[in-house]
Amino acid sequence: MPFRSARHAAGAALAALRDGGLTQSLNPKAWLVALSGIGLFVLPQADARAALGLFCAVSLLACGLGVGCWALAGRLLARALAQPARQRWFNRAMGALLALSVASMLG
């Protein structure tokens, strides 16, 4: 039975990856970045195929670094906010910053 449960976990992980990829395909900001980047950096090049490969590699690296930084920040923040008292302090501080940002836009 352990083989079956490991197989089930692998299937669930693949399904989650597929669902995440499908959800990301609906992201309009990603489409705007991709299409404008191709228009600006790929199409004007003499060797568009090589330029597209380079553009994709640079985009993958930049996205990986960005997502990695957010994941690390989330992990560190989760550790820091493990105690309810710290969570309340954080929520109040974020609420105050949000109120200040709205007040600065209105005033």
Side-chain angles (χ1 to χ4, degrees):
M1 288 304 244
F3 179 73
R4 183 179 173 126
S5 63
R7 185 182 225 179
H8 178 70
L14 285 174
L17 181 64
R18 181 200 64 223
D19 292 347
L22 289 173
T23 302
Q24 265 314 99
S25 70
L26 299 173
N27 184 351
K29 293 179 290 183
W31 281 105
L32 286 173
V33 168
L35 292 175
S36 62
I38 288 172
L40 286 170
F41 302 115
V42 175
L43 295 179
Q45 303 302 317
D47 187 2
R49 190 172 289 218
L52 179 61
L54 180 61
F55 177 75
C56 290
V58 169
S59 295
L60 180 65
L61 179 65
C63 290
L65 287 172
V67 169
C69 288
W70 278 110
L72 179 62
R75 182 173 287 237
L76 294 174
L77 190 60
R79 286 182 189 165
L81 298 178
Q83 300 167 346
R86 286 184 179 177
Q87 287 178 10
R88 279 190 299 276
W89 176 87
F90 180 79
N91 287 337
R92 289 177 182 147
M94 291 295 106
L97 288 172
L98 179 60
L100 284 172
S101 67
V102 169
S104 71
M105 288 188 281
L106 296 176

